[in-house]
Amino acid sequence: MPKLDKFDHAILGLLQDDARTTNVEIADKVGLSQSPCLRRVRQMEESGIIRGYRADLDRRALGLELTVFVAFKVARHTRENADTLQQALLDIPEVVACYMTSGESDFLAEVVVENLSAYEALLTERLLVLPNVTDIRSNFAIRSIKTGAPLKLPARS
């Protein structure tokens, strides 16, 4: 992983705010010429610091009214069981985020669907039949307070 300096942090901040910012605008705002600025962006892309670019979509405007946080418990704690469940969750498009966790559950997935009927169908047809799952708990979001916020970058050393 490359060591990031103040210019890299400034570039990342601008791209997190608006990934469509042009290289010319970024270079001007961070005080670099265009070529070194573009080289820094490319290096951060190649190293995996910048994983990609995407549009931030309004779920409700698209008819996706329900967000559910689904906690899964795995039958036996083995790497194979965890890997199998992980792959199964990756293959479900309604799962928009997923984490391996410690505590009461082993995995926590964020699921986005149209409505309660759509979630019921997903639960009964896809989630309840996942391999090695012994328990599923669903928590429904009442309101989104903060989503997709930019990362607070660690202090440079």
Side-chain angles (χ1 to χ4, degrees):
M1 209 53 74
K3 186 170 178 150
L4 303 180
D5 64 15
K6 69 177 185 174
F7 293 109
D8 297 319
H9 278 235
I11 291 167
L12 291 171
L14 291 167
L15 288 173
Q16 283 192 106
D17 287 340
D18 182 3
R20 292 179 65 174
T21 304
T22 67
N23 185 59
V24 173
E25 294 169 320
I26 294 170
D28 184 52
K29 289 179 181 176
V30 302
L32 288 172
S33 61
Q34 294 175 33
S35 292
C37 183
L38 184 58
R39 191 168 33 255
R40 286 171 178 267
V41 171
R42 295 287 183 251
Q43 286 173 339
M44 288 186 284
E45 290 170 345
E46 290 168 9
S47 71
I49 290 171
I50 298 174
R51 296 187 307 184
Y53 303 90
R54 64 180 53 98
D56 184 13
L57 306 178
D58 184 319
R59 295 172 180 189
R60 288 196 181 274
L62 293 167
L64 298 167
E65 299 285 330
L66 188 62
T67 298
V68 186
F69 296 94
V70 185
F72 299 89
K73 263 192 118 25
V74 177
R76 289 177 317 282
H77 289 232
T78 66
R79 175 176 285 290
E80 184 178 322
N81 285 353
D83 289 347
T84 301
L85 180 57
Q86 179 178 313
Q87 187 56 54
L89 290 168
L90 285 170
D91 292 338
I92 299 172
E94 293 88 349
V95 174
V96 298
C98 188
Y99 305 90
M100 180 183 278
T101 59
S102 66
E104 290 188 28
S105 61
D106 299 308
F107 288 88
L108 182 64
E110 180 181 0
V111 173
V112 178
V113 291
E114 294 89 343
N115 52 39
L116 189 56
S117 295
Y119 180 66
E120 179 185 12
L122 179 70
L123 178 66
T124 57
E125 296 169 17
R126 302 281 310 268
L127 301 181
L128 289 174
V129 298
L130 288 171
N132 306 312
V133 172
T134 60
D135 189 37
I136 296 178
R137 305 286 168 122
S138 302
N139 292 285
F140 298 90
I142 304 298
R143 177 185 327 146
S144 294
I145 307 299
K146 184 176 185 179
T147 62
L151 296 174
K152 180 187 178 305
L153 301 176
R156 297 179 321 275
S157 48

